[in-house]
Amino acid sequence: MRLVETLIYSLRPGTGAEFHRLVREESLPIHNAVDMDIVDFGQSEHHPDAYYLMRAYDNLDHLNSSQQALYSSDIWRKGPRPAILERIVVSLKTMAWMSEAAIEETRLCGVRRRAMN
């Protein structure tokens, strides 16, 4: 079992496509550099200015240490952070434990969905 964090964002009108580009091209490489496991991400099917990001952790300590490493880094603070934050109107977070199989199936569905777009 791993701890999965799901972030849900309501974005400023008309910013969903640019937000997705920022996440894909600038934010995710930094996440990967601090050993965060990105399970899935993207614009919501119901609205282009709604977005989600799912990240998996071994436990709460892993979540806290990797988020500390990410959010305190200069590459994050001086990189995509300002552009990302200025597009977010509301941010919600939830966490749940998921099996490795469920995480991998979710990851695979996301990869397939992005390949179709």
Side-chain angles (χ1 to χ4, degrees):
M1 298 291 283
R2 295 184 68 203
L3 186 58
V4 175
E5 173 192 51
T6 302
L7 299 160
I8 307 287
Y9 302 116
S10 292
L11 306 174
R12 295 195 186 287
T15 65
E18 176 62 10
F19 189 88
H20 183 61
R21 186 202 65 76
L22 285 165
V23 169
R24 190 181 65 248
E25 296 177 11
E26 298 184 37
S27 180
L28 293 185
I30 300 169
H31 279 73
N32 292 330
V34 297
D35 200 28
M36 279 192 178
D37 181 6
I38 305 302
V39 177
D40 196 10
F41 62 96
Q43 290 171 278
S44 175
E45 295 296 325
H46 85 286
H47 197 283
D49 295 325
Y51 203 87
Y52 69 95
L53 172 65
M54 296 176 71
R55 306 184 286 199
Y57 304 92
D58 297 333
N59 52 45
L60 193 54
D61 288 337
H62 180 219
L63 178 147
N64 290 330
S65 64
S66 60
Q67 287 189 7
Q68 172 67 25
L70 173 72
Y71 296 131
S72 67
S73 70
D74 281 344
I75 194 167
W76 171 256
R77 289 185 292 119
K78 295 177 181 176
R81 180 185 185 273
I84 286 173
L85 291 182
E86 74 184 19
R87 288 166 173 80
I88 298 172
V89 176
V90 175
S91 175
L92 301 171
K93 175 170 72 170
T94 190
M95 293 186 291
W97 290 96
M98 291 176 67
S99 70
E100 194 64 42
I103 291 169
E104 290 309 311
E105 183 62 26
T106 301
R107 186 187 322 273
L108 187 56
C109 287
V111 168
R112 287 180 184 143
R113 178 185 40 77
R114 285 188 296 281
M116 291 173 28
N117 294 330

